Amino acid sequence: MAQRDERQRELEREQTGKPQAERRAGQQTARELLAFLEGSPTAFHAAAQMAERLERHGFRRLSERERWQLRPGEGYYVVRNDSALIAFQLPQGPWTGFRVVASHSDSPMFKIKENPEMEAEGCIKLNVERYGGMLCAPWMDRPLSVAGRVALRRDGGWETRLICLDRDLLLIPSLAIHMNRQANEGISFNVQKDLLPLLGSTAAKGAFQKLVAEAAGAEPEEILGHDLFLYNRQKGCIWGAEEEFVSCGRLDDLQCAFASLQGFLAGEKKRWAAVHCVLDNEEVGSGSRQGAASTFLQDVLRRISDSLGGDYQDYLCRVADSFLISADNAHAAHPNYGEKADPVNRPRINGGIVIKFSANQKYCTDGCTAGAVKEWCREAGVPFQVFTNRSDMAGGSTLGNISLSQVAAATADIGLPQLAMHSPYETAGVRDTEYLIRMLQVYFS
Ligand code: ZN
């Protein structure tokens, strides 16, 4: 153990010894990450962006409605509900199992309800509800807009279209301190009362439907339904005395999803069926058709196994010889709240990949799977660190243990360190995305 710690310290010294090149590579990757985040105001847009990149790299889209004829050496991807995506590449030669990275495409947001316009005090506001467990206060007093998916009437059925109203459109104003003197002594939010965004004056009545239709390139009466969310308009940025921080909305978990895709594309993918998997609805328990509790991942792995010749036994042998990395962002120890972190295991921003442990199996990492991750980190020359909750705090959970109920492969839960998780403007490190890409490139090789 002492020897291992020494090796880790050595690695950290190496990292601090080559700050310039590291920082440049990290900043370049952080800028690419920001471009990806800004193009992904919702899970739908994240999946669409990934599909586009996969197409550019020669991956072929498959439909779940058709039989799959897969060929060794080829790459494919499949999308479910426009919001979850699984890409895979088959090795040319013999293979025995899958190498999977699973992350999630969704983030806590406010979802716009049906018939959302409400009138109050000469204004039109929108009726919204909570999607996931967000920090509410940072959503207030800043420009917001609307993005998501609409269903349009087409030839007796429907067609979906992604929209993003790319303008400062909405805002949730705070109540002035004069009317709530306790505002700085702890405040609770009632979404139905406190967090409805303003759209305009009463002259804007009916504008919402029109704006949505216009963004979809359709007539208002053609809109059959919508899955629309508020998003924060503030652009992402790289900041700090040495430009060591990166802030933007949706770092949890698109930072890992982005790194997973980059590592997947860069890896050699020779010995294993490599799988990049981004599931939806993690923030609300993963229980949907496109979430980690669904059969999506299992369906895809079984179809891969079947179409390359093999029965159910062969599939089970392959799963038994597989590895799943569940990649979901982790809490860095907060400089203003050091007491909230475990006394010993205190992840730091830019300190590298976080391996998460939980005795009650909220995180599935065990001694063996952690050891495998550490070896991949060493091979990639990137630092790693450990997260455990304080023993007197419950903490969060993620998708690793949920996907295990469908695909029982050896699993490790990892993530990248961040602050302000579930704020609409989260903070992470410029170097960490690059570290994860490099580790996953090794994993996929
Ligand atoms: Zn997450």
Side-chain angles (χ1 to χ4, degrees):
M1 186 64 204
Q3 214 175 8
R4 304 226 139 179
D5 287 350
E6 186 45 44
R7 176 72 193 112
Q8 175 70 9
R9 274 196 291 275
E10 208 176 283
L11 208 57
E12 277 162 17
R13 274 197 299 275
E14 278 171 30
Q15 298 303 336
T16 47
K18 46 177 177 179
Q20 286 299 354
E22 281 285 334
R23 198 188 305 160
R24 269 197 302 275
Q27 283 185 346
Q28 178 55 28
T29 303
R31 276 191 287 274
E32 290 167 19
L33 169 68
L34 285 181
F36 177 73
L37 292 170
E38 280 167 14
S40 305
T42 70
F44 302 116
H45 295 81
Q49 276 207 86
M50 287 189 280
E52 206 181 290
R53 296 216 39 209
L54 287 159
E55 292 277 344
R56 281 208 302 273
H57 282 79
F59 284 74
R60 263 180 282 168
R61 186 167 183 147
L62 298 167
S63 163
E64 288 195 271
R65 291 203 177 88
E66 290 161 10
R67 289 186 69 84
W68 294 357
Q69 310 288 347
L70 307 178
R71 288 212 302 270
E74 300 284 307
Y76 304 88
Y77 72 97
V78 53
V79 178
R80 191 179 273 189
N81 185 49
D82 304 323
S83 63
L85 176 145
I86 300 179
F88 56 92
Q89 181 155 338
L90 308 171
Q92 194 64 256
W95 60 283
T96 54
F98 303 95
R99 282 271 165 100
V100 185
V101 177
S103 56
H104 66 89
S105 55
D106 62 322
S107 303
M109 298 177 124
F110 292 100
K111 186 163 196 278
I112 298 169
K113 293 196 203 173
E114 299 293 306
N115 310 307
E117 287 188 10
M118 297 166 70
E119 252 185 89
E121 313 303 336
C123 289
I124 300 293
K125 55 186 184 177
L126 295 185
N127 196 8
V128 298
E129 62 182 318
R130 207 190 285 261
Y131 173 85
M134 76 281 285
L135 288 167
C136 290
W139 281 88
M140 306 182 86
D141 304 320
R142 59 176 65 216
L144 307 171
S145 194
V146 174
R149 174 178 73 171
V150 293
L152 301 176
R153 179 181 294 118
R154 288 288 179 270
D155 309 325
W158 75 81
E159 140 191 334
T160 58
R161 204 162 288 178
L162 305 194
I163 65 163
C164 176
L165 276 62
D166 191 11
R167 55 179 278 206
D168 298 339
L169 182 68
L170 300 154
L171 193 140
I172 309 169
S174 294
L175 180 64
I177 190 151
H178 316 82
M179 294 168 190
N180 180 10
R181 293 283 177 193
Q182 276 76 50
N184 294 325
E185 273 105 66
I187 183 167
S188 67
F189 292 101
N190 174 334
V191 176
Q192 193 64 73
K193 161 130 191 72
D194 303 311
L195 293 165
L196 304 186
L198 301 190
L199 173 67
S201 67
T202 41
K205 200 170 181 178
F208 180 74
Q209 188 87 347
K210 283 188 205 133
L211 287 167
V212 167
E214 197 182 307
E219 296 302 320
E221 55 277 11
E222 287 180 287
I223 297 175
L224 293 174
H226 56 74
D227 300 293
L228 297 173
F229 297 85
L230 305 185
Y231 75 93
N232 179 11
R233 292 280 298 161
Q234 188 174 351
K235 293 258 178 251
C237 71
I238 294 172
W239 59 279
E242 303 215 296
E243 304 203 307
E244 53 272 79
F245 300 116
V246 55
S247 292
C248 191
R250 305 172 297 284
L251 283 167
D252 171 18
D253 185 31
L254 293 183
Q255 189 180 14
C256 284
F258 172 80
S260 171
L261 180 59
Q262 298 289 84
F264 171 78
L265 291 172
E268 287 176 28
K269 306 180 276 283
K270 274 186 182 152
R271 272 185 61 199
W272 315 85
V275 183
H276 158 76
C277 169
V278 184
L279 299 162
D280 191 10
N281 301 127
E282 191 275 342
E283 301 295 356
V284 292
S286 295
S288 67
R289 195 169 75 86
Q290 55 281 350
S294 79
T295 57
F296 188 28
L297 178 60
Q298 189 199 80
D299 293 347
V300 170
L301 300 189
R302 279 203 67 176
R303 288 175 82 156
I304 295 172
S305 190
D306 289 358
S307 76
L308 294 177
D311 57 15
Y312 189 52
Q313 285 254 19
D314 292 309
Y315 167 71
L316 293 178
C317 294
R318 283 167 174 154
V319 169
D321 200 27
S322 296
F323 201 100
L324 190 148
I325 289 180
S326 157
D328 193 3
N329 266 7
H331 301 291
H334 195 301
N336 290 349
Y337 303 93
E339 73 281 6
K340 297 289 182 186
D342 179 77
V344 179
N345 301 297
R346 309 169 70 82
R348 292 201 176 161
I349 297 279
N350 290 318
I353 292 154
V354 180
I355 306 173
K356 308 182 196 176
F357 292 86
S358 152
N360 63 20
Q361 297 299 298
K362 286 270 170 64
Y363 306 127
C364 325
T365 318
D366 59 28
C368 304
T369 57
V373 171
K374 289 176 190 173
E375 290 302 319
W376 292 318
C377 288
R378 287 197 183 94
E379 202 177 320
V382 302
F384 57 83
Q385 43 191 346
V386 165
F387 176 86
T388 61
N389 283 304
R390 279 182 63 104
S391 306
D392 50 7
M393 278 177 65
S397 66
T398 179
L399 46 78
N401 64 346
I402 298 172
S403 49
L404 276 194
S405 62
Q406 298 296 328
V407 177
T411 299
D413 270 292
I414 66 163
L416 293 176
Q418 70 159 101
L419 299 170
M421 191 179 282
H422 292 191
S423 162
Y425 209 66
E426 302 174 322
T427 291
V430 285
R431 293 187 186 183
D432 291 319
T433 315
E434 176 71 17
Y435 291 148
L436 182 54
I437 293 170
R438 276 159 52 189
M439 189 277 264
L440 293 178
Q441 183 175 351
V442 168
Y443 174 72
F444 281 126
S445 293

